[in-house]
Amino acid sequence: MSLENTSSNRSFGGWHKQYTHTSRTLHCDMRFAIYLPPQASESNKVPVLYWLSGLTCTDENFMQKAGALQLAAELGIAIVAPDTSPRGDNIPDDPDGAYDFGVGAGFYLNATEAPWNRYYYMYDYVVKELPAVIEGHFPVSDVKAISGHSMGGHGALTIALKNSDAYRSVSAFSPIVNPTVVPWGQKAFSNYLGEDTSTWLEYDACALIKKAETHLPMLIDQGDGDQFLHEQLKPENLLLAAEKAGYPLELRMQEGYDHSYYFISSFIDDHLRFHAQHLK
């Protein structure tokens, strides 16, 4: 598979780079960003933190706003940020142009309903294709963790819970933990997955945590000033499900913080250090 390097920027002794490639999974060209810390070399392959962004975002939001690269350089951790959905002129989108469905809102699942099921396979892309690309082209190891924000927090939690052998740890900021019962999730799932709600549970962290056989270290930060807290996010649902299942979950409610990257940048160092403990 060929990669096209579209940008390169030196940062904290390492490199932030953007690439495009033709995705066999998504049937379109995709872009991702990677930060390679100064320790990365063919003789010293570094672990990877995969970051999944939220609604309307691209690979650029986290890399430019989170302030994560300096500590990643110190810790020797690569960061990979994919886009949030397939993109292109032929990609089906929300007919009304809404931000919470279609392009920019892939929800990290494998769609089963037409016309979405030709392109919207973000679950397979993140779990299978992208790591193969990264490990095949860059000086990184197969040791990895996963994190994300909002819709991306949903993706990080569900992917980790379904693939606990592939990741060392998982964290999230303001995740959609129970998408089957909130408007964002119900809209996306009914379109991508159809009306059989039993199939939705395969992408719901509250359902998945109840049957998890392997427990990964899990850290979640949630601002109590988040404008989406009560209608869309409902972290208390995941906390209750984890307690019932005996799953060790650290959920931190942060006073006054909202849903923005001001929140993420305030606590991203904690998450990087949390993952570093398990990646090393």
Side-chain angles (χ1 to χ4, degrees), residues 50-254:
Y50 286 85
W51 173 269
L52 306 183
S53 289
L55 292 166
T56 76
C57 293
T58 68
D59 61 288
E60 294 183 335
N61 295 73
F62 179 81
M63 292 299 201
Q64 294 183 9
K65 295 181 179 180
L69 303 189
Q70 182 173 10
L71 186 56
E74 294 175 13
L75 296 172
I77 298 172
I79 300 176
V80 172
D83 205 343
T84 50
S85 79
R87 294 181 192 266
D89 293 340
N90 61 324
I91 303 299
D93 196 4
D94 188 290
D96 299 319
Y99 75 94
D100 56 356
F101 180 70
V103 173
F107 271 85
Y108 305 101
L109 50 73
N110 288 339
T112 58
E113 300 297 300
W116 322 104
N117 59 349
R118 174 165 172 76
Y119 303 100
Y120 285 77
Y121 270 67
M122 287 300 295
Y123 176 87
D124 277 357
Y125 179 73
V126 170
V127 172
K128 299 175 183 178
E129 184 176 14
L130 184 59
V133 170
I134 299 301
E135 292 165 22
H137 289 84
F138 300 99
V140 302
S141 70
D142 62 358
V143 177
K144 53 186 180 288
I146 192 165
S147 185
H149 171 233
S150 193
M151 178 186 71
H154 142 76
L157 293 174
T158 56
I159 285 171
L161 287 166
K162 289 162 70 76
N163 301 274
S164 58
D165 58 334
Y167 302 93
R168 297 288 181 88
S169 51
V170 57
S171 73
F173 290 84
S174 315
I176 307 169
V177 303
N178 204 177
T180 59
V181 303
V182 302
W184 277 341
Q186 290 171 339
K187 177 179 179 178
F189 286 11
S190 61
N191 282 283
Y192 291 139
L193 303 174
E195 297 303 324
D196 181 0
T197 57
S198 66
T199 65
W200 300 5
L201 298 176
E202 286 302 306
Y203 300 103
D204 187 303
C206 287
L208 293 170
I209 206 167
K210 295 175 183 178
K211 58 182 182 181
E213 296 182 356
T214 302
H215 294 169
L216 287 177
M218 182 181 291
L219 170 65
I220 295 175
D221 272 317
Q222 172 65 61
D224 69 5
D226 192 316
Q227 61 270 42
F228 303 113
L229 176 60
H230 301 295
E231 183 182 18
Q232 304 282 11
L233 305 179
K234 300 186 181 296
E236 67 278 4
N237 291 7
L238 185 64
L239 185 60
L240 179 60
E243 290 174 348
K244 288 183 177 179
Y247 198 108
L249 159 64
E250 183 178 4
L251 171 61
R252 308 191 308 186
M253 296 299 297
Q254 304 291 1

Side-chain angles (χ1 to χ4, degrees), residues 260-272:
S260 71
Y261 267 81
Y262 294 107
F263 171 44
I264 295 170
S265 63
S266 298
F267 297 99
I268 191 61
D269 283 3
D270 289 354
H271 285 241
L272 290 173

Side-chain angles (χ1 to χ4, degrees), residues 2-37:
S2 62
L3 300 181
E4 180 183 356
N5 179 212
T6 57
S7 74
S8 297
N9 299 94
R10 192 80 164 150
S11 183
F12 298 107
W15 286 93
H16 171 274
K17 299 185 178 186
Q18 287 178 309
Y19 289 87
T20 60
H21 71 107
T22 299
S23 168
R24 298 190 182 98
T25 303
L26 304 176
H27 301 287
C28 67
D29 290 340
M30 289 293 287
R31 188 178 74 187
F32 66 84
I34 183 169
Y35 178 70
L36 292 168

